[in-house]
Amino acid sequence: MSDENSPNQNFEEYDDSTDSSEEEFIRQQQEKQRLHLPRKSSTILIEKTKPAVLVEDKDIDVTEFDSDDEDLNASHISVYETTEKYNVAISQTRGRRNYNEDRTCAKSIDPSNALFGVFDGHNGHEAATFCRDNIKQIYQDQSFDLTKTFETLHNEVAKTTGAGCTATVVAIKGDEAFFANVGDSPAFVIKSDNSIEKMSYSHKTNDPSEEKMIVENGGVILNLFNTKRVNGQIMVTQSIGDKALHPPLSSTPSLYSIPLNEIKSIVLMSDGVTDALTDLEIRDVLVAESSVVTKAQTIRNIAYKGGSKDNICVVVIEL
């Protein structure tokens, strides 16, 4: 009998040659009776539609992994409409943890604008959940300014909870993708020549420039059990929330941009992936797999089988 925590699990793969409805896919899984992720997991697909159909504010929500719905023990597909520009899949699992603090979003604004994000919570899910639920409205209220959006998210979260989260966001505006992040949830693009480029900065205590910023803001870096932590508490140096640690933490994001005609796809993820996969291993999956669903699922599955002990979430956007 297989140990449920063994990394050598078999994982269900979505067969995109068959009916892609959620009901049909779940039926296939029940008939095959194959092993799935040992913790509750989900994959959601947004399909291209022709002609383009904008479904206003039809957000992806893959966070209800703590329910007792047995269907969520398997990878399953829900299909949504969006503009004809993007295919998007989100694949997520709480992995070896007994709770899930990762949150994701995929939000349509208008036919030329969309917003995607990963929020990895710590000390509770509340900050990540607030970001997921409110980032679209705040982004619009702040005239599509990502720096002001992050500052507002931080201030609003700090009013209601002591929890915190990373935030990694890509805003597609017209013919360009704009990235912003605090914390260590990475973003990458696959370029036209199949090379991979990182579009985020890892704000962590092992970076000398980040350590310098913490000290200048009045904090200290303590080395506890061979791990550097801000004021002896957390390893990220920038975040949303964490009101007891702001300052010395910062909520000002690192910013990047790239024209859409230079890239094939975008991927956002929590550090539960990069704990187990290198940048080149992520690139190899994104280049080798043909379906946006299997790209997201395969990255998640390899990260789990590779020994990741954290929650895992992956957002893949194909242009």
Side-chain angles (χ1 to χ4, degrees):
M1 179 178 294
S2 297
D3 182 346
E4 74 165 7
N5 288 324
S6 169
N8 297 316
Q9 294 284 346
N10 295 318
F11 296 92
E12 183 61 49
E13 295 294 337
Y14 172 62
D15 181 1
D16 60 4
S17 67
T18 64
D19 182 355
S20 62
S21 70
E22 178 177 344
E23 293 79 11
E24 175 62 13
F25 187 54
I26 292 173
R27 185 192 65 76
Q28 291 176 21
Q29 292 185 318
Q30 291 171 338
E31 288 180 354
K32 292 178 182 178
Q33 295 183 341
R34 292 176 59 186
L35 292 173
H36 303 289
L37 282 168
R39 300 289 185 183
K40 296 180 179 180
S41 61
S42 179
T43 303
I44 285 184
L45 168 68
I46 299 182
E47 288 190 330
K48 291 181 181 178
T49 58
K50 294 183 179 180
V53 176
L54 177 67
V55 179
E56 181 62 23
D57 204 21
K58 195 156 192 177
D59 299 343
I60 296 176
D61 183 350
V62 292
T63 62
E64 301 303 323
F65 298 125
D66 294 328
S67 77
D68 294 326
D69 184 350
E70 292 184 359
D71 289 341
L72 291 181
N73 284 312
S75 303
H76 70 280
I77 304 298
S78 296
V79 179
Y80 294 82
E81 294 178 322
T82 184
T83 72
E84 67 179 357
K85 291 187 176 182
Y86 321 116
N87 271 339
V88 184
I90 295 179
S91 193
Q92 186 165 348
T93 178
R94 69 188 191 190
R96 292 177 171 83
R97 294 195 173 184
N98 293 321
Y99 49 87
N100 183 31
E101 294 177 327
D102 286 356
R103 299 292 185 264
T104 59
C105 71
K107 299 176 183 286
S108 297
I109 297 172
D110 59 46
S112 298
N113 292 274
L115 193 65
F116 306 92
V118 164
F119 312 98
D120 184 350
H122 46 260
N123 298 322
H125 69 84
E126 291 83 4
T129 299
F130 182 92
C131 289
R132 179 201 66 193
D133 293 344
N134 294 280
I135 188 170
K136 176 183 175 179
Q137 187 60 55
I138 291 173
Y139 179 59
Q140 292 175 290
D141 291 346
Q142 296 300 326
S143 302
F144 306 105
D145 184 313
L146 285 171
T147 297
K148 291 181 179 178
T149 296
F150 274 50
E151 292 172 353
T152 304
L153 282 170
H154 167 70
N155 291 334
E156 293 301 315
V157 166
K159 292 177 182 178
T160 60
T161 179
C165 68
T166 71
T168 298
V169 171
V170 57
I172 296 179
K173 296 195 290 184
D175 296 325
E176 196 156 2
F178 297 87
F179 295 80
N181 87 287
V182 293
D184 59 354
S185 298
F188 300 94
V189 295
I190 298 298
K191 304 186 77 173
S192 300
D193 62 359
N194 286 335
S195 63
I196 189 168
E197 183 173 341
K198 192 172 184 180
M199 303 298 289
S200 60
Y201 194 87
S202 185
H203 302 118
K204 297 187 72 172
T205 51
N206 58 6
D207 183 321
S209 64
E210 293 295 297
E211 182 172 357
K212 181 174 181 288
M213 181 269 292
I214 291 296
V215 173
E216 289 176 348
N217 287 349
V220 295
I221 303 293
L222 300 178
N223 195 327
L224 302 177
F225 305 104
N226 296 317
T227 301
K228 291 183 175 182
R229 295 180 179 271
V230 178
N231 290 3
Q233 297 185 52
I234 63 175
M235 292 186 290
V236 294
T237 55
Q238 301 193 35
S239 71
I240 302 295
D242 294 306
K243 63 181 178 181
L245 291 170
H246 275 262
L249 298 187
S250 168
S251 59
T252 302
S254 295
L255 302 172
Y256 301 83
S257 65
I258 190 168
L260 295 183
N261 62 11
E262 295 184 10
I263 59 179
K264 292 181 176 180
S265 59
I266 298 167
V267 59
L268 314 177
M269 61 192 68
S270 60
D271 67 334
V273 174
T274 47
D275 285 346
L277 276 76
T278 66
D279 297 1
L280 288 179
E281 287 170 330
I282 293 166
R283 184 205 74 92
D284 289 347
V285 172
L286 293 172
V287 171
E289 297 292 339
S290 58
S291 163
V292 66
V293 176
T294 56
K295 290 175 194 281
Q297 286 182 332
T298 301
I299 290 173
R300 178 202 63 193
N301 295 350
I302 294 175
Y304 179 82
K305 290 192 285 186
S308 177
K309 296 179 174 62
D310 204 348
N311 302 146
I312 298 167
C313 70
V314 185
V315 180
V316 179
I317 307 149
E318 287 196 333
L319 306 174

